[in-house]
């Protein structure tokens, strides 16, 4: 029977992220603060309209 590897404690993960961030900044990296509600994803396609409910004849 295969054993699952136990996930590290959250504090260990937080410490790891903090260390990685400090190393990134020490190498000249920059952290940009983004305002709440702003998405980093750009919309490349138009909006998609969907209809729920009964299908009625679209054109007669």
């Amino acid at each position: 029977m295969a054993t699952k590897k136990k996930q590290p404690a959250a504090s260990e993960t937080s410490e790891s992220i903090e260390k990685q961030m400090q190393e990134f900044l020490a190498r000249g990296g920059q952290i940009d603060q983004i305002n709440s509600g702003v998405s980093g994803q750009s919309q490349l396609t138009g909006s998609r309209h969907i209809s729920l409910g009964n299908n009625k004849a679209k054109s007669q």
Side-chain angles (χ1 to χ4, degrees), residues 15-34:
E15 291 169 2
S16 172
I17 292 171
E18 178 69 25
K19 181 180 176 187
Q20 291 174 31
M21 182 181 67
Q22 293 302 327
E23 290 171 356
F24 172 76
L25 293 173
R27 291 192 310 265
Q30 179 179 342
I31 297 175
D32 298 326
Q33 184 168 347
I34 307 299

Side-chain angles (χ1 to χ4, degrees), residues 11-58:
S11 61
E12 183 179 354
T13 303
S14 296
E15 291 169 2
S16 172
I17 292 171
E18 178 69 25
K19 181 180 176 187
Q20 291 174 31
M21 182 181 67
Q22 293 302 327
E23 290 171 356
F24 172 76
L25 293 173
R27 291 192 310 265
Q30 179 179 342
I31 297 175
D32 298 326
Q33 184 168 347
I34 307 299
N35 293 331
S36 179
V38 175
S39 173
Q41 298 178 349
S42 58
Q43 186 173 356
L44 300 176
T45 61
S47 62
R48 295 183 180 177
H49 298 282
I50 61 169
S51 298
L52 301 176
N54 296 334
N55 287 337
K56 295 183 179 180
K58 293 182 181 179

